[in-house]
Amino acid sequence: AKEALTERPTRAPTWKPSPGPTGLPTAEPSLLPSALPSDQPSAQPSRALEQTIVTGSSQDLQLGGTTTSSYGYLFNLRTKPTSPVVQITSLEFYTESTQSVNYEVWTREGSFKDFKGSYEGWTLIAEGSVEGRGLGRYTQIPDETFTPVSIRGGGGEDGTRAFYITLDSKELIYKLGNGPDSDVDVHASSAELEVYEGEGVLTYPFPAVAEISYYRYPRQYLGTIHYDRLPCKPYSVFGHVMDLPCPDMPTSSPTPPQPTRNPVTPPPSTSPVTEPPMTPAPIIAGVTLSPIPPTMVPTLTPTISSVPSASPTTQSPTSSPIVPMRAYIVSIFRNAPERDMTSRE
């Protein structure tokens, strides 16, 4: 019958592709892969672990903009409140020079505001010479001369790290800022980091903080910041890590210690180290056991006596009669009050 026949197949797919992505990626990689392939492609590829923040614009890198040049620059980087720890892996700066320039990068945890003009507490993480790339292009500090440093997650003062980048010539270029003071306004950011306006340094080396005329603010950094957004990998094992070093990765089973080549036990001693065993004295028939010495404090329960022996402990009667004896006892009492003795005494 016609009712039992199935419908004819279509000549073309019936579903049309959606005009745009159907969903958003998760904030972090998923812990486990899905059981089956997804029906739709992801809205966009997952973010790379190596991230960059490029400050400034093409107009800032042209002649006659709102830029100025000097020797050095101070600024703070902060993680966002929801960000885990990140690791700064390199920096790029702006110079119009195409000659070799000498650079230094110093850093410290926390803000630079109260630590200008003294190298105490600062750590040198990059030093060397590099050929400037000139007008319109940033110059990168070679990776082999840069020591990566971390910035704690969570933002705030704990999630702040200060940087001082300087040349030994007046060829470092930065931009004029907009805020009322340094370390107030954010002029560049990413999903994890914020770049705050800083201060220009008008001489080299670090001028004393009393020489306030050598500091200009607010100023904006022109360059690129390279960082690793998940320094503890894989995320499925470590998850959100707020500070470095990374936690120890657990093993699937305890690691047994390696056997030693030589015994670790000491050699036997030449003489015994234990006391000889003390065996109780045997019970001899006819000998009365020594009484239990009195205790200093009475016990809560009666002292349990020894089990009676199977036979009397007294010796058999002697074959001769008992001979009576008379003894005289003389007692001397000292420091006793003088009185007459009673008849019993």
Side-chain angles (χ1 to χ4, degrees):
K2 291 184 178 181
E3 290 77 5
L5 297 177
T6 60
E7 296 181 359
R8 296 174 62 85
T10 59
R11 294 183 179 181
T14 56
W15 293 100
K16 294 182 179 181
S18 60
T22 56
L24 295 175
T26 59
E28 301 293 345
S30 58
L31 298 180
L32 295 173
S34 58
L36 297 173
S38 57
D39 295 331
Q40 299 289 340
S42 59
Q44 63 183 25
S46 300
R47 294 175 62 223
L49 299 181
E50 295 294 333
Q51 293 288 306
T52 58
I53 300 177
V54 181
T55 65
S57 63
S58 58
Q59 290 76 18
D60 296 328
L61 305 188
Q62 305 302 317
L63 293 173
T66 57
T67 60
T68 183
S69 63
S70 186
Y71 287 86
Y73 183 75
L74 282 162
F75 67 107
N76 289 331
L77 291 178
R78 284 189 179 89
T79 53
K80 291 186 175 180
T82 57
S83 170
V85 62
V86 299
Q87 188 173 51
I88 308 300
T89 56
S90 185
L91 293 175
E92 297 179 25
F93 60 91
Y94 185 40
T95 179
E96 294 179 354
S97 174
T98 56
Q99 305 297 317
S100 178
V101 293
N102 299 322
Y103 61 86
E104 295 176 14
V105 179
W106 298 76
T107 186
R108 66 175 297 128
E109 291 186 333
S111 174
F112 70 85
K113 294 285 286 185
D114 296 327
F115 301 97
K116 298 183 295 185
S118 172
Y119 288 103
E120 184 178 356
W122 292 83
T123 301
L124 181 66
I125 59 172
E127 182 182 22
S129 299
V130 65
E131 186 175 297
R133 299 186 65 198
L135 181 66
R137 295 187 295 181
Y138 290 153
T139 300
Q140 182 167 2
I141 295 174
D143 291 341
E144 61 270 17
T145 67
F146 192 95
T147 302
V149 291
S150 64
I151 306 178
R152 294 190 185 99
E157 187 62 26
D158 289 340
T160 299
R161 180 173 282 275
F163 290 86
Y164 169 45
I165 180 170
T166 183
L167 308 180
D168 62 359
S169 57
K170 192 178 179 181
E171 296 177 289
L172 182 68
I173 300 177
Y174 44 80
K175 183 181 177 181
L176 302 179
N178 301 315
D181 196 355
S182 60
D183 198 34
V184 174
D185 284 0
V186 176
H187 71 93
S189 65
S190 68
E192 293 82 20
L193 275 177
E194 295 176 329
V195 185
Y196 281 75
E197 292 184 335
E199 301 185 13
V201 184
L202 305 188
T203 187
Y204 173 86
F206 224 171
V209 68
E211 301 176 20
I212 191 171
S213 60
Y214 286 104
Y215 295 92
R216 292 289 187 269
Y217 54 85
R219 297 293 185 266
Q220 295 182 4
Y221 181 64
L222 290 179
T224 304
I225 300 162
H226 298 261
Y227 70 95
D228 188 341
R229 67 184 184 91
L230 288 177
C232 296
K233 308 173 185 64
Y235 180 81
S236 59
V237 172
F238 294 104
H240 249 49
V241 178
M242 302 306 288
D243 196 6
L244 294 184
C246 299
D248 293 332
M249 182 179 294
T251 57
S252 56
S253 59
T255 304
Q258 295 294 329
T260 57
R261 293 185 178 181
N262 300 319
V264 295
T265 56
S269 58
T270 55
S271 58
V273 295
T274 58
E275 295 292 334
M278 301 295 292
T279 57
I283 299 176
I284 303 175
V287 178
T288 304
L289 297 175
S290 301
I292 299 176
T295 58
M296 298 298 295
V297 180
T299 58
L300 298 177
T301 57
T303 305
I304 301 174
S305 60
S306 303
V307 180
S309 57
S311 58
T313 55
T314 56
Q315 297 179 354
S316 302
T318 58
S319 57
S320 57
I322 298 175
V323 179
M325 296 180 63
R326 176 177 294 179
Y328 294 91
I329 299 174
V330 178
S331 299
I332 300 175
F333 298 91
R334 299 183 183 277
N335 299 323
E338 185 177 355
R339 60 179 179 79
D340 294 332
M341 298 182 66
T342 63
S343 59
R344 293 187 61 184
E345 292 176 338

